[in-house]
Amino acid sequence: MIRRMLLAGMMLLATACASAGSGTRSSYQRDLITETEMKAEATQYSNLLDVVSGLRPNWLRPPLAGSGASAASGPVVWLDGREFGEADMMKQLSKDSAVSLRYYSATAAQSKFGMREARPVIEITTRGR
């Protein structure tokens, strides 16, 4: 009898956990913020810096020592295939203009963007591209 109750409780808990992840975060990707996610979860944000700060704050943290990137340097922002500037420049961009934001580690950014200094990159793609 106790085993049946324990088994029933475990099944109920497993079902609850499985259904809890069916919200808007189910499509969460660590290195990507999509337009759909911004619309669903970032209604209180007015610019892209606020979006990143709220949804992926780790993108703005300085890289760890020994990662190949300068510890004092934050990410570089690329907008529609061109270097745009430092992360603070995202304050100028409305969240409504972006289709996606993608984060590249310092190593991946060097490979993709050919940067001489190893720094992470936040790549923004807008509708106007």
Side-chain angles (χ1 to χ4, degrees), residues 60-83:
L60 300 173
R61 292 189 186 120
L64 298 172
S67 66
S70 166
S73 61
V76 176
V77 176
W78 281 60
L79 178 66
D80 294 331
R82 296 182 183 214
E83 190 170 342

CSV table of all heavy atoms in Angstrom, one decimal, residues 60-83:
chain,number,residue,atom,x,y,z
A,60,LEU,N,26.6,40.0,-20.7
A,60,LEU,CA,27.2,41.3,-20.4
A,60,LEU,C,28.3,41.2,-19.4
A,60,LEU,O,29.1,42.1,-19.2
A,60,LEU,CB,26.2,42.3,-19.9
A,60,LEU,CG,25.0,42.5,-20.9
A,60,LEU,CD1,24.0,43.4,-20.3
A,60,LEU,CD2,25.5,43.2,-22.2
A,61,ARG,N,28.5,40.0,-18.8
A,61,ARG,CA,29.6,39.9,-17.8
A,61,ARG,C,30.9,39.8,-18.5
A,61,ARG,O,31.0,39.2,-19.5
A,61,ARG,CB,29.3,38.6,-17.0
A,61,ARG,CG,28.1,38.7,-16.1
A,61,ARG,CD,28.0,37.6,-15.1
A,61,ARG,NE,26.7,37.7,-14.4
A,61,ARG,CZ,25.8,36.8,-14.4
A,61,ARG,NH1,25.9,35.7,-15.1
A,61,ARG,NH2,24.7,37.0,-13.8
A,62,PRO,N,32.0,40.3,-17.8
A,62,PRO,CA,33.3,40.1,-18.4
A,62,PRO,C,33.7,38.7,-18.5
A,62,PRO,O,33.3,37.8,-17.6
A,62,PRO,CB,34.2,40.9,-17.4
A,62,PRO,CG,33.3,41.6,-16.5
A,62,PRO,CD,32.0,41.0,-16.6
A,63,PRO,N,34.5,38.3,-19.5
A,63,PRO,CA,34.9,36.9,-19.6
A,63,PRO,C,35.8,36.5,-18.4
A,63,PRO,O,36.4,37.3,-17.8
A,63,PRO,CB,35.7,36.9,-20.9
A,63,PRO,CG,35.9,38.3,-21.3
A,63,PRO,CD,35.0,39.1,-20.5
A,64,LEU,N,35.8,35.2,-18.2
A,64,LEU,CA,36.6,34.6,-17.1
A,64,LEU,C,38.1,34.7,-17.5
A,64,LEU,O,38.5,34.7,-18.7
A,64,LEU,CB,36.3,33.1,-16.9
A,64,LEU,CG,34.9,32.9,-16.4
A,64,LEU,CD1,34.6,31.4,-16.4
A,64,LEU,CD2,34.6,33.5,-15.1
A,65,ALA,N,39.0,34.8,-16.5
A,65,ALA,CA,40.4,34.9,-16.7
A,65,ALA,C,40.8,33.5,-17.4
A,65,ALA,O,40.3,32.5,-17.1
A,65,ALA,CB,41.1,35.1,-15.4
A,66,GLY,N,41.7,33.6,-18.4
A,66,GLY,CA,42.2,32.4,-19.0
A,66,GLY,C,41.3,32.0,-20.2
A,66,GLY,O,41.6,31.0,-20.8
A,67,SER,N,40.3,32.8,-20.5
A,67,SER,CA,39.4,32.4,-21.6
A,67,SER,C,39.9,32.9,-23.0
A,67,SER,O,39.2,32.7,-24.0
A,67,SER,CB,38.0,32.9,-21.4
A,67,SER,OG,38.0,34.3,-21.4
A,68,GLY,N,41.0,33.7,-22.9
A,68,GLY,CA,41.5,34.2,-24.2
A,68,GLY,C,41.1,35.6,-24.4
A,68,GLY,O,41.6,36.3,-25.3
A,69,ALA,N,40.1,36.1,-23.6
A,69,ALA,CA,39.6,37.5,-23.8
A,69,ALA,C,40.1,38.4,-22.6
A,69,ALA,O,40.4,37.9,-21.6
A,69,ALA,CB,38.1,37.5,-23.8
A,70,SER,N,40.2,39.6,-22.9
A,70,SER,CA,40.7,40.6,-21.9
A,70,SER,C,39.6,40.6,-20.8
A,70,SER,O,38.4,40.8,-21.1
A,70,SER,CB,40.8,42.0,-22.5
A,70,SER,OG,40.9,42.9,-21.5
A,71,ALA,N,40.0,40.5,-19.5
A,71,ALA,CA,39.0,40.4,-18.4
A,71,ALA,C,38.3,41.7,-18.3
A,71,ALA,O,37.1,41.8,-17.8
A,71,ALA,CB,39.7,40.1,-17.1
A,72,ALA,N,38.8,42.8,-18.7
A,72,ALA,CA,38.2,44.2,-18.6
A,72,ALA,C,37.2,44.4,-19.7
A,72,ALA,O,36.5,45.4,-19.7
A,72,ALA,CB,39.3,45.2,-18.5
A,73,SER,N,37.2,43.6,-20.7
A,73,SER,CA,36.4,43.9,-21.9
A,73,SER,C,35.1,43.2,-21.9
A,73,SER,O,35.1,42.0,-21.7
A,73,SER,CB,37.2,43.6,-23.2
A,73,SER,OG,37.5,42.3,-23.2
A,74,GLY,N,34.1,43.9,-22.2
A,74,GLY,CA,32.8,43.3,-22.3
A,74,GLY,C,32.6,42.9,-23.8
A,74,GLY,O,33.5,43.0,-24.6
A,75,PRO,N,31.4,42.6,-24.2
A,75,PRO,CA,31.2,42.2,-25.6
A,75,PRO,C,31.2,43.4,-26.5
A,75,PRO,O,30.9,44.5,-26.2
A,75,PRO,CB,29.8,41.5,-25.5
A,75,PRO,CG,29.1,42.2,-24.4
A,75,PRO,CD,30.2,42.4,-23.4
A,76,VAL,N,31.5,43.0,-27.8
A,76,VAL,CA,31.4,44.0,-28.9
A,76,VAL,C,30.0,43.7,-29.5
A,76,VAL,O,29.6,42.6,-29.6
A,76,VAL,CB,32.5,43.8,-29.9
A,76,VAL,CG1,32.3,44.7,-31.1
A,76,VAL,CG2,33.8,44.0,-29.3
A,77,VAL,N,29.3,44.8,-30.0
A,77,VAL,CA,28.0,44.6,-30.6
A,77,VAL,C,28.2,44.8,-32.1
A,77,VAL,O,28.8,45.7,-32.6
A,77,VAL,CB,27.0,45.6,-30.1
A,77,VAL,CG1,25.7,45.5,-30.8
A,77,VAL,CG2,26.8,45.4,-28.6
A,78,TRP,N,27.6,43.8,-32.9
A,78,TRP,CA,27.6,43.9,-34.3
A,78,TRP,C,26.1,44.0,-34.7
A,78,TRP,O,25.3,43.3,-34.2
A,78,TRP,CB,28.2,42.6,-35.0
A,78,TRP,CG,29.7,42.6,-35.0
A,78,TRP,CD1,30.5,42.7,-33.9
A,78,TRP,CD2,30.5,42.6,-36.1
A,78,TRP,NE1,31.8,42.7,-34.3
A,78,TRP,CE2,31.9,42.6,-35.6
A,78,TRP,CE3,30.3,42.5,-37.5
A,78,TRP,CZ2,32.9,42.6,-36.5
A,78,TRP,CZ3,31.4,42.5,-38.3
A,78,TRP,CH2,32.7,42.5,-37.8
A,79,LEU,N,25.8,44.9,-35.6
A,79,LEU,CA,24.5,45.2,-36.1
A,79,LEU,C,24.4,45.0,-37.6
A,79,LEU,O,25.1,45.7,-38.3
A,79,LEU,CB,24.1,46.7,-35.7
A,79,LEU,CG,22.7,47.2,-36.1
A,79,LEU,CD1,21.6,46.4,-35.4
A,79,LEU,CD2,22.6,48.7,-35.9
A,80,ASP,N,23.6,44.0,-37.9
A,80,ASP,CA,23.4,43.7,-39.4
A,80,ASP,C,24.7,43.6,-40.1
A,80,ASP,O,24.9,44.1,-41.2
A,80,ASP,CB,22.5,44.8,-40.0
A,80,ASP,CG,21.1,44.8,-39.4
A,80,ASP,OD1,20.6,43.7,-39.0
A,80,ASP,OD2,20.4,45.8,-39.4
A,81,GLY,N,25.6,42.8,-39.6
A,81,GLY,CA,26.9,42.5,-40.2
A,81,GLY,C,28.0,43.5,-40.1
A,81,GLY,O,29.0,43.3,-40.7
A,82,ARG,N,27.8,44.5,-39.4
A,82,ARG,CA,28.9,45.6,-39.2
A,82,ARG,C,29.1,45.8,-37.7
A,82,ARG,O,28.1,45.8,-36.9
A,82,ARG,CB,28.5,46.9,-39.9
A,82,ARG,CG,28.3,46.7,-41.3
A,82,ARG,CD,28.0,48.0,-42.0
A,82,ARG,NE,27.9,47.8,-43.4
A,82,ARG,CZ,28.2,48.7,-44.3
A,82,ARG,NH1,28.6,49.9,-43.9
A,82,ARG,NH2,28.0,48.4,-45.6
A,83,GLU,N,30.3,46.1,-37.4
A,83,GLU,CA,30.6,46.4,-36.0
A,83,GLU,C,29.9,47.7,-35.6
A,83,GLU,O,30.0,48.7,-36.3
A,83,GLU,CB,32.1,46.6,-35.8
A,83,GLU,CG,32.5,46.6,-34.3
A,83,GLU,CD,34.0,46.5,-34.0
A,83,GLU,OE1,34.7,46.1,-34.9
A,83,GLU,OE2,34.4,46.9,-32.9
